[in-house]
């Protein structure tokens, strides 16, 4: 029961953050007042994120009942998800921004409202990373100024998560974390160069390529860690697959006319694998910790 509650909490958190990213402002004030922007990948993101988030919210309520979940949290998170879902078929942009505000408030309230407590500091790190990678990878779908900023914030959170997760790993896991830290640092520098005209694109692509190689190697090392258990190792395999998909997605951008759309959908699959991978690592660490406690 405790594990199911945490799994639903993670699903809800991830879905609310995903939904919030789909309604980030783009600073198009004519669109804000008069128009509706048809973006098929973004519409798909809104529908998937809000349905999975709504499903998690309903299951949590059914499991715990009204006595254990704040009515305010249920109302704010539910309304935020509904606004984003309806925005997929057309709403004034200012209403989408209202949904964004509600989801941010709900994200801040959720852990306390649902009484979630982690057993391991390393689990907290994996949880933070699962949110951070969404902020970073979503930039391949949104590709706006604010998604660039969100990606940068995500990478900083990623570093915090890596620092926390180190305490729960063995030597193979620590080797993986070291490589991932280097990869994240390269990505941060690459994002900062995006804002530099002309040379910025070249430097960003070069650093992104180096970061991919180092990050993939980091996931391979993590795959060999016994501290994350069999479930966590399966999660690391998911992370490796997601990296391969990201490369395919980056290459499909070169396809004329439909390249960006195809790349966005591939990125959505990669996001799912990243979520699944870090969730499995999270619970792999928790399960290993419980096994050690039972031994003593």
């Amino acid at each position: 029961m405790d594990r199911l509650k945490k799994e639903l909490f993670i699903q809800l958190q991830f879905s609310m953050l995903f939904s919030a990213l789909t309604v980030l402002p783009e600073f198009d004030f004519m669109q804000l007042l008069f128009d509706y922007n048809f973006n098929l990948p973004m519409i798909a993101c809104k529908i998937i994120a809000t349905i999975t988030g709504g499903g998690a919210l309903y299951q949590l309520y059914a499991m715990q009942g009204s006595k254990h979940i704040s009515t305010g949290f249920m109302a704010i998170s539910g309304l935020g998800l509904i606004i984003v879902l309806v925005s997929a078929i057309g709403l004034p942009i200012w209403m989408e921004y209202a949904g964004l505000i509600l989801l941010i408030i709900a994200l801040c309230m959720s852990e306390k409202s649902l009484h979630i407590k982690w057993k391991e500091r390393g689990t907290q790190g994996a949880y933070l990373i699962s949110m951070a990678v969404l902020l970073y990878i979503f930039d391949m779908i949104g590709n706006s100024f604010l998604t660039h900023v969100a990606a940068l914030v995500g990478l900083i959170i990623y570093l915090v998560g890596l620092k926390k997760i180190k305490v729960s790993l063995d030597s193979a896991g620590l080797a993986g974390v070291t490589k991932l830290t280097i990869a994240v640092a390269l990505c941060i520098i690459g994002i900062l160069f995006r804002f530099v005209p002309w040379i910025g694109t070249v430097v960003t692509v070069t650093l992104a390529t180096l970061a991919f190689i180092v990050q993939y190697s980091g996931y391979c090392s993590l795959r060999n860690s016994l501290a994350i258990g069999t479930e966590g190792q399966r999660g690391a395999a998911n992370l490796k697959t997601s990296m391969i998909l990201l490369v395919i997605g980056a290459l499909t951008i070169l396809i004329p006319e439909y390249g960006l759309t195809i790349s966005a959908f591939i990125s959505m699959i990669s996001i799912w694998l990243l979520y699944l991978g870090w969730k499995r690592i999270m619970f792999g660490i928790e399960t290993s910790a419980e096994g050690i406690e039972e031994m003593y």
Side-chain angles (χ1 to χ4, degrees):
M1 181 69 75
D2 185 53
R3 168 161 177 154
L4 178 58
K5 177 183 173 182
K6 288 180 178 178
E7 285 185 342
L8 290 171
F9 164 74
I10 295 163
Q11 180 180 324
L12 177 61
Q13 285 278 83
F14 194 87
S15 299
M16 288 197 299
L17 182 58
F18 200 179
S19 297
L21 287 171
T22 67
V23 289
L24 282 177
E26 295 183 11
F27 302 114
D28 186 341
F29 294 106
M30 293 301 292
Q31 180 184 330
L32 175 63
L33 295 174
F34 303 113
D35 198 15
Y36 171 64
N37 180 28
F38 182 82
N39 183 323
L40 184 58
M42 196 67 74
I43 290 172
C45 286
K46 290 179 179 182
I47 294 172
I48 293 169
T50 52
I51 288 176
T52 56
L57 192 63
Y58 173 77
Q59 289 182 72
L60 282 164
Y61 180 78
M63 179 193 302
Q64 295 188 260
S66 57
K67 293 182 180 179
H68 299 93
I69 300 181
S70 161
T71 304
F73 168 73
M74 289 291 296
I76 291 171
S77 53
L79 182 57
L81 289 170
I82 289 170
I83 290 174
V84 174
L85 180 61
V86 176
S87 74
I89 57 175
L91 273 181
I93 301 300
W94 67 266
M95 289 191 70
E96 293 191 10
Y97 298 165
L100 171 64
I101 294 170
L102 289 171
L103 288 169
I104 290 173
I105 294 171
L107 279 164
C108 296
M109 293 175 63
S110 56
E111 191 163 2
K112 185 176 180 181
S113 297
L114 297 171
H115 311 290
I116 298 296
K117 294 181 180 179
W118 303 110
K119 295 179 181 178
E120 284 286 305
R121 190 163 182 257
T123 310
Q124 295 175 350
Y127 158 69
L128 285 175
I129 293 170
S130 68
M131 300 297 120
V133 292
L134 173 58
L135 289 169
Y136 177 61
I137 301 301
F138 186 81
D139 194 27
M140 294 183 67
I141 301 173
N143 193 30
S144 67
F145 173 78
L146 278 184
T147 61
H148 296 342
V149 174
L152 184 59
V153 172
L155 289 170
I156 294 170
I157 295 172
Y158 202 141
L159 289 176
V160 175
L162 288 172
K163 185 177 180 180
K164 285 179 175 288
I165 202 174
K166 286 169 65 176
V167 300
S168 300
L169 298 178
D170 53 15
S171 57
L174 289 173
V177 167
T178 300
K179 293 172 184 177
L180 291 175
T181 302
I182 295 170
V184 171
L186 290 171
C187 289
I188 289 175
I189 297 170
I191 286 181
L192 292 175
F193 267 97
R194 279 187 178 183
F195 302 103
V196 179
W198 304 108
I199 195 173
T201 302
V202 177
V203 174
T204 297
V205 172
T206 303
L207 291 175
T209 303
L210 290 173
F212 169 81
I213 296 170
V214 178
Q215 190 170 7
Y216 188 84
S217 177
Y219 288 150
C220 290
S221 297
L222 204 57
R223 177 77 173 78
N224 296 321
S225 174
L226 298 177
I228 62 176
T230 304
E231 184 175 11
Q233 290 172 344
R234 287 170 57 207
N238 294 141
L239 297 177
K240 289 168 62 178
T241 304
S242 73
M243 294 294 294
I244 295 170
L245 283 176
L246 284 175
V247 173
I248 295 172
L251 293 175
T252 56
I253 292 176
L254 302 175
I255 299 174
E257 193 171 352
Y258 299 107
L260 286 172
T261 300
I262 296 171
S263 176
F265 278 108
I266 292 174
S267 297
M268 288 166 60
I269 299 172
S270 180
I271 284 173
W272 165 251
L273 286 172
L274 285 165
Y275 160 74
L276 184 63
W278 282 108
K279 186 183 79 168
R280 284 176 167 168
I281 290 173
M282 197 182 311
F283 287 106
I285 291 173
E286 289 252 306
T287 302
S288 297
E290 288 172 358
I292 293 172
E293 286 179 4
E294 289 177 2
M295 288 175 61
Y296 293 95

